[in-house]
Amino acid sequence: GAGVSQTPSNKVTEKGKYVELRCDPISGHTALYWYRQSLGQGPEFLIYFQGTGAADDSGLPNDRFFAVRPEGSVSTLKIQRTERGDSAVYLCASSGNRGDTQYFGPGTRLTVL
Amino acid sequence: LAKTTQPISMDSYEGQEVNITCSHNNIATNDYITWYQQFPSQGPRFIIQGYKTKVTNEVASLFIPADRKSSTLSLPRVSLSDTAVYYCLVGDRGKLIFGQGTELSVKP
């Protein structure tokens, strides 16, 4: 079956712009996670959704970052007033339920010029 | 959250068995030990998970001593395609906390 998909695969933007990154989880998975991975580092947790609600957003670095999952399926990570330090690969993962094996998408590579 | 320590890099040759050890001295009672594999430009991929003793699947084995303060991922007869970064994670299986991982290089 289809895995986790993320769009776009690459996004180049200018400092100060707004971006949206999309994640399509595996069908039926109730838990959805966003991570961010900088070059040479392991992924860093950002936020976790159980259904439509953000159950844990402790990893969001500041209020420029926001994520939604209005219908409990697709999720969008939104970054306002992007900064060069936001450049990274943004990974999305989903699992059947919290605690189940997480399946990762290929990521979106964000470059802020 | 328990912190993990694993070698930054390892080298091996095709056909050899590779053992990657991870230290997690302050693992909590409810914590599981999970290993992920990541290839360049891809998301991490689940390899194996365990709580204690030994777990084996079609890809790897995971050895966990009684005190659970360390664990060893064993990859039998590696091939060039096993060249990747391997992450050891300890936690309650929800929010995953990744370290820097071990970069395994398999040579012909």
Side-chain angles (χ1 to χ4, degrees):
Chain A
V4 177
S5 62
Q6 294 186 243
T7 53
S9 56
N10 282 282
K11 176 70 178 178
V12 180
T13 190
E14 294 179 342
K15 180 176 179 294
K17 299 291 188 182
Y18 168 82
V19 296
E20 290 189 353
L21 311 179
R22 176 187 168 109
C23 172
D24 282 83
I26 293 172
S27 177
H29 278 191
T30 62
L32 184 146
Y33 306 79
W34 283 99
Y35 296 83
R36 176 170 73 172
Q37 186 170 25
S38 300
L39 193 62
Q41 304 295 316
E44 171 193 22
F45 169 81
L46 296 176
I47 187 170
Y48 150 62
F49 286 90
Q50 184 62 44
T52 60
D56 183 349
D57 64 358
S58 60
L60 294 178
N62 51 60
D63 61 6
R64 295 187 297 106
F65 288 74
F66 189 71
V68 296
R69 194 186 185 199
E71 298 178 357
S73 178
V74 170
S75 176
T76 305
L77 179 65
K78 307 180 180 192
I79 309 175
Q80 298 177 323
R81 305 182 303 280
T82 52
E83 299 178 357
R84 293 193 179 88
D86 298 336
S87 295
V89 175
Y90 289 81
L91 294 162
C92 175
S94 71
S95 67
N97 244 312
R98 185 185 186 280
D100 291 343
T101 298
Q102 294 185 27
Y103 297 89
F104 283 79
T108 293
R109 180 176 299 278
L110 174 66
T111 303
V112 182
L113 301 177
Chain B
L1 290 168
K3 179 183 175 182
T4 60
T5 303
Q6 52 183 123
I8 297 293
S9 64
M10 291 181 70
D11 289 333
S12 182
Y13 291 92
E14 282 191 289
Q16 289 188 332
E17 177 184 80
V18 171
N19 296 307
I20 306 175
T21 296
C22 178
S23 298
H24 27 81
N25 290 318
N26 56 344
I27 187 170
T29 303
N30 294 335
D31 287 344
Y32 280 73
I33 300 158
T34 309
W35 286 80
Y36 275 80
Q37 174 193 54
Q38 187 174 28
F39 298 111
S41 301
Q42 294 186 26
R45 184 176 74 104
F46 172 86
I47 301 176
I48 198 166
Q49 182 179 80
Y51 183 79
K52 63 179 179 180
T53 62
K54 176 184 174 182
V55 180
T56 298
N57 62 22
E58 64 278 6
V59 176
S61 294
L62 179 59
F63 298 91
I64 306 169
D67 66 6
R68 304 199 328 122
K69 293 185 183 299
S70 67
S71 59
T72 299
L73 174 73
S74 181
L75 305 172
R77 298 178 300 281
V78 294
S79 64
L80 296 177
S81 62
D82 292 316
T83 294
V85 178
Y86 292 82
Y87 293 99
C88 164
L89 296 88
V90 171
D92 64 359
R93 303 188 296 176
K95 176 171 73 178
L96 299 179
I97 307 297
F98 289 82
Q100 280 199 299
T102 297
E103 188 168 2
L104 173 65
S105 177
V106 180
K107 303 175 182 178

